[in-house]
Amino acid sequence: MTPLVSIIIPACNCERFISETLESVIHQTFRDFELLIIDDGSTDDLRFIVKRFGAIDTRVKYIYQANGGVSAARNNGFRHSKGKFIAFLDSDDVWLKNNLELKLIKFEQGTFGLVHSDAELIDGSSKKVDTILKGREGDLLDGLLSWNGTQVPGPSSILVRRGVLEIVGLFDENLSTAADMDLFIRIAAKFKIGRVPQVTWRYRIHGSNMHGDIHAMEHDVLLIYRKARQMDLFRSKAFERTCFSTTYLILAASWWGKGRNMKRSFIFLRKAIRNEPFIILNVMRKIVNRILR
């Protein structure tokens, strides 16, 4: 029997968290799924942990590949998958037991290409952090391109139709930290996106998260926006300039803060102002408004 849902977990040296992640999938209220764990060249005990789960539950499948990165692992999982719907789950995140059930119900309520849900943050010890990530619903392309708040909380949040990925393509293997953002943009360019307005998963924040790599972030977001320009995804030239300027400003702030590189920060600050001279005034206005609240 072909499962309705294929769940793909890219995993590399994640023995610390993988058992909790797998338990959260196995105990889903929706049961018609296969679970594919793509071992991306791990050197820890990941293989043995996953195979213990597979000995108990035949829906669990272990696939090894030489280290190729998270995007390559997700794409490899898709090629081995059979489901009509595809879910991606990072190896350190956790689903609540009704995650799949609620998202499949949401698909029945509209013509969505992708459905996501809200997330609560947890730390490396699985303790809740007082933060909830809430995405949005509808035509999200402009919001994604303009960095207008959280549109889709992350890859562990999504359930997507197989046919959608066959149309827009899989994860870009030239990207790492922002490969999910690139995929969301390509999906939003062609399909409406749905949201389950409640927490159905937990996003783990810890010292090994990829998003702390500013070099990789710079590479990825610049490539994504060049691709968006080539695909003619910006609704106007003025909107394109605004989006690029905001991107440069975010990179400037990242290099100034986490990156501790003032020279690199000023390079992107100049680029931001050159694209849209009034962007600094808009930023200052937001800061003043926040102070006066």
Side-chain angles (χ1 to χ4, degrees):
M1 295 290 291
T2 300
L4 184 63
V5 178
S6 294
I7 303 159
I8 298 168
I9 298 180
C12 182
N13 294 332
C14 57
E15 62 178 1
R16 178 183 173 191
F17 302 118
I18 192 64
S19 291
E20 186 178 359
T21 301
L22 296 179
E23 289 280 358
S24 76
V25 175
I26 288 172
H27 292 112
Q28 289 293 296
T29 54
F30 179 82
R31 308 289 295 169
D32 184 17
F33 63 78
E34 62 175 352
L35 174 54
L36 308 174
I37 297 89
I38 312 302
D39 183 346
D40 187 35
S42 296
T43 57
D44 62 3
D45 288 335
L46 173 69
R47 174 195 300 264
F48 305 106
I49 296 171
V50 174
K51 289 196 171 183
R52 283 203 300 268
F53 278 87
I56 299 171
D57 192 326
T58 58
R59 295 173 300 176
V60 177
K61 300 176 177 64
Y62 172 86
I63 300 168
Y64 179 86
Q65 68 173 38
N67 183 261
V70 64
S71 294
R74 288 170 178 156
N75 292 346
N76 191 15
F78 179 80
R79 287 188 287 270
H80 282 87
S81 69
K82 301 174 182 177
K84 181 180 177 181
F85 292 90
I86 307 295
F88 296 97
L89 176 59
D90 286 350
S91 59
D92 50 0
D93 294 335
V94 177
W95 282 350
L96 302 188
K97 64 181 181 180
N98 59 354
N99 178 69
L100 288 177
E101 180 182 359
L102 292 179
K103 286 171 183 170
L104 288 167
I105 291 172
K106 182 66 179 182
F107 267 109
E108 296 174 354
Q109 298 171 354
T111 54
F112 304 113
L114 176 151
V115 166
H116 64 87
S117 60
D118 300 347
E120 63 183 7
L121 270 60
I122 57 175
D123 63 16
S125 300
S126 299
K127 294 180 180 178
K128 294 181 183 179
V129 179
D130 190 23
T131 302
I132 302 293
L133 297 178
K134 298 181 179 180
R136 303 184 186 183
E137 179 171 303
D139 297 313
L140 303 189
L141 179 60
D142 284 0
L144 286 163
L145 290 171
S146 63
W147 299 88
N148 185 19
T150 301
Q151 302 286 318
V152 181
S156 297
S157 174
I158 70 171
L159 183 64
V160 59
R161 294 184 187 275
R162 183 182 202 87
V164 168
L165 294 175
E166 291 172 343
I167 290 171
V168 307
L170 302 177
F171 290 92
D172 186 337
E173 296 184 16
N174 294 308
L175 302 171
S176 56
T177 64
D180 51 341
M181 178 182 178
D182 173 66
L183 179 65
F184 301 157
I185 287 172
R186 286 185 279 121
I187 293 175
K190 293 182 179 295
F191 300 93
K192 289 185 182 296
I193 291 178
R195 171 187 170 228
V196 175
Q198 67 184 78
V199 171
T200 74
W201 67 288
R202 296 185 175 122
Y203 175 41
R204 192 184 301 276
I205 303 295
H206 55 89
S208 301
N209 289 101
M210 287 194 306
H211 292 85
D213 188 339
I214 309 301
H215 286 279
M217 175 187 175
E218 176 187 323
H219 168 272
D220 281 13
V221 298
L222 293 180
L223 178 56
I224 287 169
Y225 278 82
R226 287 196 293 268
K227 287 174 61 177
R229 176 186 281 162
Q230 292 169 359
M231 296 170 65
D232 197 24
L233 298 184
F234 300 100
R235 53 180 163 81
S236 68
K237 286 297 181 182
F239 180 63
E240 180 181 315
R241 287 194 299 273
T242 298
C243 293
F244 269 87
S245 188
T246 302
T247 301
Y248 294 144
L249 196 61
I250 290 170
L251 288 172
S254 298
W255 279 117
W256 182 278
K258 290 182 180 179
R260 300 181 182 276
N261 188 327
M262 288 188 290
K263 181 179 178 180
R264 198 77 185 142
S265 178
F266 278 118
I267 289 173
F268 283 108
L269 184 60
R270 286 199 302 269
K271 286 177 176 286
I273 295 171
R274 191 180 304 129
N275 266 268
E276 189 171 334
F278 294 108
I279 192 166
I280 297 301
L281 292 177
N282 293 333
V283 171
M284 293 302 296
R285 188 181 300 114
K286 290 179 181 179
I287 293 173
V288 170
N289 290 337
R290 185 172 298 176
I291 292 173
L292 294 177
R293 283 177 185 172

